[in-house]
Amino acid sequence: KIWLEGSLYANTYPIWVYPKPNTEKMDQDILVAKSLNGSVMTQLINGKKVLFFPSNLDVKKNSVGGLFPPEFWNYGMFKGISEWAKKPVSPGTLGILTNPDHPIFNSFPTDSHTNWQWFSIVKASNPLILNQTQKEYRPIVQVVDNLERNDKLGLIFEFKVGDGKLLVCMSQLDEIKDNPEAAQLYKSILHYMDSEAFNPNYAIEQTELNKLIN
């Protein structure tokens, strides 16, 4: 908290303090994958826990770029201006929505909305379009889209596939592991997947999954 002495002017700022990143001992039942190739898919269907970090290029046509600040007030207008000026078009998203009480956050405290510990994580992400999932399905961490496009976007989400359990993270945490917040989220995800709480109730067929990520 900082304030100007002798006045009513004051402000407070949250600070996140994380343990020093270290090598997390991996549960042998958790398979970390960059691709859902035949071998990974077979293991998943047969009961494996899979933590999947899709490559940006592999899901480019079915994802949007990561954007930390909310989109400006008129996505359609500024999209048109950017295209006219041959400049990059903003991803057009409006932050995240999540449940702070979800067990995936037991080692990574968060608000229900975007805050600064998410900065590097969101910047290294490309949220996946989940419009093909059922209406009631919600990702663990949902990216709020602009009103014009209104896609269902997932940053972290999970499925039951065959006898296996799949958790998908659309942020390349392993590539920014020197950031303590990214390392801590990775650790929190692994702890969650190693617990009984990791039990996705939304089942998806292999063909549906392939359509989402290809």
Side-chain angles (χ1 to χ4, degrees), residues 41-177:
M41 189 66 77
T42 298
Q43 292 181 73
L44 173 62
I45 291 172
N46 289 333
K48 196 78 172 177
K49 297 177 184 177
V50 175
L51 174 55
F52 180 36
F53 294 98
S55 153
N56 291 353
L57 290 177
D58 289 345
V59 295
K60 186 175 181 180
K61 68 179 182 181
N62 198 30
S63 64
V64 300
L67 181 69
F68 182 76
E71 176 55 52
F72 202 41
W73 61 274
N74 191 323
Y75 173 72
M77 185 180 79
F78 287 99
K79 176 177 180 290
I81 292 173
S82 297
E83 291 172 338
W84 172 80
K86 295 181 169 51
K87 299 291 185 181
V89 176
S90 166
T93 52
L94 299 166
I96 67 167
L97 177 65
T98 191
N99 176 10
D101 296 325
H102 193 287
I104 201 171
F105 299 121
N106 284 352
S107 299
F108 186 82
T110 184
D111 301 296
S112 61
H113 52 81
T114 316
N115 215 325
W116 284 102
Q117 85 274 38
W118 286 95
F119 180 81
S120 66
I121 296 164
V122 171
K123 290 282 285 182
S125 74
N126 56 319
L128 195 71
I129 300 171
L130 299 173
N131 295 346
Q132 297 179 57
T133 58
Q134 293 179 11
K135 183 178 180 180
E136 66 273 13
Y137 177 74
R138 288 292 179 269
I140 297 172
V141 180
Q142 182 164 351
V143 174
V144 182
D145 204 5
N146 63 75
L147 292 174
E148 179 176 317
R149 190 170 52 200
N150 201 28
D151 286 328
K152 185 195 299 185
L153 301 172
L155 181 62
I156 301 175
F157 47 96
E158 63 186 15
F159 299 120
K160 179 176 175 56
V161 185
D163 292 328
K165 303 171 185 178
L166 175 68
L167 191 140
V168 184
C169 180
M170 299 304 300
S171 178
Q172 305 302 318
L173 299 180
D174 58 332
E175 296 180 8
I176 55 170
K177 59 186 177 183

Side-chain angles (χ1 to χ4, degrees), residues 15-61:
I15 296 175
W16 293 268
V17 181
Y18 300 106
K20 184 178 180 179
N22 55 23
T23 303
E24 183 73 7
K25 186 178 180 181
M26 183 73 66
D27 181 348
Q28 293 185 351
D29 194 36
I30 299 174
L31 173 63
V32 179
K34 286 277 193 178
S35 171
L36 291 183
N37 57 37
S39 172
V40 173
M41 189 66 77
T42 298
Q43 292 181 73
L44 173 62
I45 291 172
N46 289 333
K48 196 78 172 177
K49 297 177 184 177
V50 175
L51 174 55
F52 180 36
F53 294 98
S55 153
N56 291 353
L57 290 177
D58 289 345
V59 295
K60 186 175 181 180
K61 68 179 182 181

